[in-house]
Amino acid sequence: MTYPEIKNFLREHADARYAAFSAALVPGARPMIGVRLPVLRSLAKTISREDWRTYMDEAEDDSFEEVLLQGFVAGMARMPFEEQLMRMAAYVRKVTDWSLCDSSCVSFKFVRKRREEAWAFLQPYLYSTAEFSRRFGVVMLLSHFFTDDFVHRVLEACTAVPPVGYYDTMAVAWAISVCYVKYPEQTRSVLVGGKLNDETQNKAIQKIVDSFRVTAEDKSFVRTLRRTVRRNS
């Protein structure tokens, strides 16, 4: 597909009502044209089997969907590992909302092939002072690094640097809650040990309590670890 054909495809699959609905859920997003994620993923697969490098060179950032499509292609296209890391990094520089971050992270499965190298590559994001860079780093760990070999490092990374904003705070809380399902003992030590700030601790506990995969007994226990958050008057 040529780039004009891709632009036309996006217009043909636009849904104004869906665009309005999505925009309300994603503050700070680029203009949305209303193409649903499964359609974007299918289009990305088609592009990644063709002349995807030409597409990436010509792609514009005019809409939410066009940027996300670039992320999907960067994750799906076949290329050397080092190039894929660089293209992922280029995409992250365009991330300005939680949906561009989270929707693309799932597509970057190539990092599972060489997790040690990918882990080193993600460190600047995990310790960034930029909210969405940090969220990207945490969601990447959540999506690809919850393994026996990495769980301790994931938990350490989630507690090492205090979040700088709402969206990275929520990412850490989300990661802690998911980790609790698979690795309850390791995660319990984080919650008991006071390694999270009050807001992140409480949000993580709420997500654990809301999970259908956590026992009633465990939910009762983590509720006792909630903290009182004092707010300035």
Side-chain angles (χ1 to χ4, degrees):
M1 297 176 73
T2 65
Y3 187 58
E5 289 173 335
I6 292 169
K7 295 275 280 188
N8 187 57
F9 179 95
L10 293 173
R11 285 193 293 269
E12 289 177 348
H13 288 80
D15 182 332
R17 285 180 135 186
Y18 181 69
F21 171 77
S22 298
L25 298 177
V26 189
R30 287 175 173 80
M32 292 190 174
I33 57 180
V35 181
R36 296 176 185 270
L37 293 188
V39 175
L40 283 177
R41 289 195 179 97
S42 178
L43 176 59
K45 287 180 182 178
T46 298
I47 295 170
S48 66
R49 291 193 294 263
E50 299 177 352
D51 186 9
W52 61 267
R53 283 191 173 87
T54 296
Y55 160 72
M56 295 291 268
D57 289 340
E58 297 178 347
E60 299 174 346
D61 303 336
D62 294 346
S63 67
F64 169 90
E65 286 84 354
E66 288 194 73
V67 174
L68 184 55
L69 183 61
Q70 294 171 48
F72 286 160
V73 172
M76 294 177 185
R78 291 187 177 183
M79 66 187 87
F81 183 79
E82 291 75 13
E83 179 183 358
Q84 207 151 21
L85 288 177
M86 293 301 105
R87 290 191 178 273
M88 180 174 69
Y91 171 78
V92 176
R93 289 194 288 272
K94 302 180 182 185
V95 170
T96 56
D97 63 72
W98 67 263
S99 188
L100 282 179
C101 174
D102 299 4
S103 300
S104 61
C105 283
V106 179
S107 297
F108 296 136
K109 294 180 181 179
F110 72 93
V111 300
R112 300 180 184 183
K113 298 175 183 177
R114 291 157 68 173
R115 279 194 174 96
E116 284 290 350
E117 292 171 70
W119 178 271
F121 186 85
L122 290 171
Q123 295 310 296
Y125 297 101
L126 293 170
Y127 296 96
S128 172
T129 57
E131 183 174 8
F132 287 109
S133 290
R134 183 163 163 78
R135 182 177 176 100
F136 167 77
V138 174
V139 176
M140 283 296 290
L141 299 192
L142 170 65
S143 301
H144 307 294
F145 287 85
F146 274 146
T147 67
D148 293 349
D149 293 336
F150 281 90
V151 60
H152 291 292
R153 280 192 268 179
V154 170
L155 289 172
E156 181 180 357
C158 286
T159 60
V161 180
V164 296
Y166 173 79
Y167 291 103
D168 56 336
T169 295
M170 293 303 293
V172 172
W174 178 21
I176 293 293
S177 68
V178 172
C179 194
Y180 191 94
V181 173
K182 189 173 181 180
Y183 300 100
E185 290 187 15
Q186 294 94 321
T187 312
R188 205 174 288 129
S189 67
V190 170
L191 296 173
V192 172
K195 298 180 179 180
L196 299 170
N197 64 28
D198 292 347
E199 184 178 11
T200 309
Q201 171 102 355
N202 289 347
K203 289 185 181 300
I205 289 170
Q206 186 58 55
K207 287 182 174 295
I208 293 169
V209 170
D210 290 342
S211 174
F212 293 110
R213 297 181 292 170
V214 176
T215 67
E217 182 180 6
D218 275 353
K219 291 180 181 183
S220 295
F221 170 73
V222 298
R223 284 190 182 100
T224 68
L225 303 176
R226 281 189 174 127
R227 301 177 190 156
T228 301
V229 179
R230 295 182 179 180
R231 303 190 182 278
N232 295 330
S233 56

